[in-house]
Amino acid sequence: MPRPRKKRRPREKKQVPRNRALLPEYDRGAVPEGLATRRQLRDMGLSPGSNRGTVAIVRCKWCSYRPWLSCNHPTRGFLLRVDLAKPKRIPTLAQEWALDRAMAARQTCGECGRRFYSCLSKKLGCCLQCHDGTPADPTSYAAPTSSPAHRLAA
């Protein structure tokens, strides 16, 4: 005997009229000068800085068909002021070494000691050649060196 179907409650509509939205909204391609998204700031070599307040919203493409409603979709973009952005911080050599050691732990086979250019499977715990004998492509790993002078992969 089939189970009785549950009655679905109607979804609550979170639609807000555009004139009551808390932040100004711009359609794609109509954003004024001096505002940029986080990705655009990153491409310019900037970071949002300490004042990360969102100034405006870029509407998603679906909301362009409903200009009277505010955009509340996850694909909307948040705009930040370019004049308040700061230059990106440059990591120190010690920070780069720490990141390289962390990546080396994920990329080095525990059995044969080869360091691959991509991370190895956690499930296997070693490279495919050590696991089941599948030969590894020589261009996919760096040959192990005995000199500890240069350990950075980059």
Side-chain angles (χ1 to χ4, degrees), residues 23-72:
L23 294 172
E25 296 184 358
Y26 299 103
D27 289 324
R28 295 177 185 263
V31 177
E33 292 291 322
L35 298 179
T37 61
R38 288 181 62 91
R39 288 188 182 189
Q40 290 170 338
L41 287 177
R42 184 182 63 204
D43 292 342
M44 289 186 250
L46 301 171
S47 67
S50 61
N51 186 4
R52 296 189 191 134
T54 303
V55 179
I57 293 175
V58 178
R59 295 166 57 84
C60 66
K61 70 177 185 176
W62 295 289
C63 289
S64 63
Y65 299 112
R66 301 178 300 166
W68 60 91
L69 291 176
S70 172
C71 180
N72 60 0

Side-chain angles (χ1 to χ4, degrees), residues 61-92:
K61 70 177 185 176
W62 295 289
C63 289
S64 63
Y65 299 112
R66 301 178 300 166
W68 60 91
L69 291 176
S70 172
C71 180
N72 60 0
H73 293 104
T75 55
R76 68 182 183 253
F78 297 103
L79 295 172
L80 306 162
R81 289 179 47 186
V82 176
D83 58 344
L84 295 179
K86 296 180 180 178
K88 278 187 181 179
R89 295 186 322 175
I90 299 172
T92 63

Side-chain angles (χ1 to χ4, degrees), residues 91-147:
T92 63
L93 191 58
Q95 288 172 333
E96 287 186 17
W97 279 345
L99 288 172
D100 190 65
R101 282 194 304 267
M103 287 304 293
R106 296 176 65 194
Q107 295 172 343
T108 305
C109 177
E111 296 182 18
C112 63
R114 287 184 286 194
R115 182 169 179 182
F116 289 81
Y117 295 118
S118 60
C119 295
L120 298 176
S121 170
K122 287 184 185 180
K123 186 177 181 180
L124 298 178
C126 58
C127 64
L128 282 176
Q129 186 169 356
C130 295
H131 178 69
D132 62 2
T134 305
D137 184 17
T139 61
S140 67
Y141 62 88
T145 59
S146 59
S147 76

